[in-house]
Amino acid sequence: MAKVDSFIFSSESVTEGHPDKVADQISDGVLDAILKDDPNGRVACETLCTTGLVVVSGEITTKTYVDIPKLARSIVQEIGYTRAKYGFDGETCAVLTAIDEQSGDIAQGVDNAIEVRDKELSEADIAKTGAGDQGMMFGYACNETEEFMPMPIALAHKLARQLTRVRKDGTLSYLRPDGKSQVSLRYEGRKAVHADTIVISAQHHPEASLKEIRSDIIENVINPIVPAHLIDSSTRIFVNPTGRFVKGGPMADTGLTGRKIIVDTYGGWVPHGGGAFSGKDPTKVDRSGAYMTRYAAKNIVAAGIADECQIQVAYAIGVAEPVSLNVNTFGTGKLSDAKIVELLREHFDFRPAAIIRDLDLRKPQYRALAAYGHMGRIDLPVLPGWEKTDRADALRKAAGL
């Protein structure tokens, strides 16, 4: 009998008060505000946050007006930075903007004078709408969790959301917005069998003791989230391992849009193409291509064609058709990977305009994704288009399963 490989894999998440995530939420907040009134707006919005300062810059072409300073302040306050003593305060921080229009060189490659106006696109419109940049994107799904996500990142996100929940509902009133989680699971083969290490770092009031914080977080954050069968006496639990986390948020660490791309996707379980999501309208294939590959991979797994599926797609700027499409099912496929590529080409249209149409990417929905991951978001009131499994039955039938 073949020996089953044993290994430990770690993934991390961060709370919405982490400085990079503050920046992501402002960038996606700007995008949502523009898409609300101008679904065809072109947005590439970057944000920097540091002590007492938010800088919003980028290239935006739109027919509407957004009061960016007012929007940025409201997002900062909703996150929980409402007092100057936290080192960052949405009411008193300075907000600087430096916005230009999208380069005409890029625009002509994207649309060739064609805009994605509605869902009644002609084949000619779709063919003429090119990718907004070159690059490769990865999508992945597995049947390990109800989210169709790898368990380490799924648990890390749940812990980060729970850390925010107990702060906002007053259960642990001494907590402040910044925080991180990390989960290290031991695998036997591709099955998680034990939580080797759990790390929670939570910003807190200076008078809260480490002993109190550790006890409260184990009881109110870790125990309600991590399945009991994964934890035993050998599980290492680190809560604020430096001993103190009072200074946090943008005061302690400058935040930038797009610096948490592994948190945003699969926790490092599979490759990443390198492109960030937040602040980019869906003509940018960094975003739309990654969503489409996730959608296709999730439907392959939901159809029972494979236990896990990784898809890579690549584009050339100004060209509608992908330059490559690759599948890896890690030996779990009921069909060969080459056959699954054929299924994908038959059932999914990876051209940018078709992705925007099929996943309904022109509507405001992005700020809610700017913290706690863009994939596996079954916690949201409305499931994003790329998280639906509405093509699984057709794929299963086509595969002859």
Side-chain angles (χ1 to χ4, degrees), residues 10 23-24 35 44 59 77 80 87 120 145 162 269 279 315 368 397:
S10 302
D24 283 344
L35 292 180
E59 294 77 46
Q77 290 178 311
E120 301 303 320
T145 63
Q162 181 70 3
W269 187 260
Y315 294 93
K397 182 177 180 181

Side-chain angles (χ1 to χ4, degrees), residues 199-234:
V199 184
I200 300 289
S201 294
Q203 187 187 12
H204 60 88
H205 188 282
E207 294 181 4
S209 70
L210 180 59
K211 182 178 180 181
E212 176 188 18
I213 296 168
R214 176 181 168 82
S215 175
D216 285 347
I217 284 181
I218 290 174
E219 178 183 351
N220 296 284
V221 177
I222 296 174
N223 287 346
I225 296 300
V226 181
H229 73 272
L230 294 178
I231 299 179
D232 61 22
S233 59
S234 67

Side-chain angles (χ1 to χ4, degrees), residues 22-44:
V22 173
D24 283 344
Q25 288 168 92
I26 292 172
S27 292
D28 271 338
V30 171
L31 173 62
D32 279 351
I34 289 172
L35 292 180
K36 180 181 177 182
D37 294 325
D38 181 9
N40 295 319
R42 293 288 171 79
V43 181

Side-chain angles (χ1 to χ4, degrees), residues 238-379:
F238 296 112
V239 176
N240 286 3
T242 68
R244 182 177 171 86
F245 187 4
V246 172
K247 187 177 180 180
M251 181 181 184
D253 185 15
T254 297
L256 292 171
T257 298
R259 277 207 304 204
K260 286 291 177 284
I261 58 176
I262 298 300
V263 172
D264 285 342
T265 52
Y266 306 99
W269 187 260
V270 295
H272 194 293
F277 301 155
S278 290
K280 297 178 180 178
D281 76 77
T283 66
K284 279 74 171 175
V285 284
D286 281 339
R287 176 164 232 160
S288 54
Y291 291 163
M292 192 62 172
T293 50
R294 163 64 177 177
Y295 177 53
K298 187 173 182 180
N299 276 271
I300 289 290
V301 174
I305 296 172
D307 293 335
E308 53 181 319
C309 180
Q310 172 189 296
I311 300 173
Q312 185 207 50
V313 68
Y315 294 93
I317 188 169
V319 180
E321 288 286 352
V323 299
S324 70
L325 185 64
N326 176 272
V327 168
N328 186 352
T329 58
F330 307 94
T332 69
K334 308 295 190 300
L335 306 175
S336 70
D337 291 348
K339 287 289 186 184
I340 294 174
V341 170
E342 292 178 11
L343 276 180
L344 293 179
R345 293 189 184 280
E346 180 183 349
H347 290 268
F348 298 91
D349 193 336
F350 287 88
R351 294 175 296 177
I355 295 173
I356 292 169
R357 175 198 64 196
D358 294 345
L359 299 185
D360 198 12
L361 299 184
R362 288 279 182 190
K363 66 183 182 182
Q365 58 185 311
Y366 298 109
R367 186 191 154 195
L369 302 163
Y372 314 116
H374 292 247
M375 317 301 178
R377 295 303 303 275
I378 61 175
D379 60 295

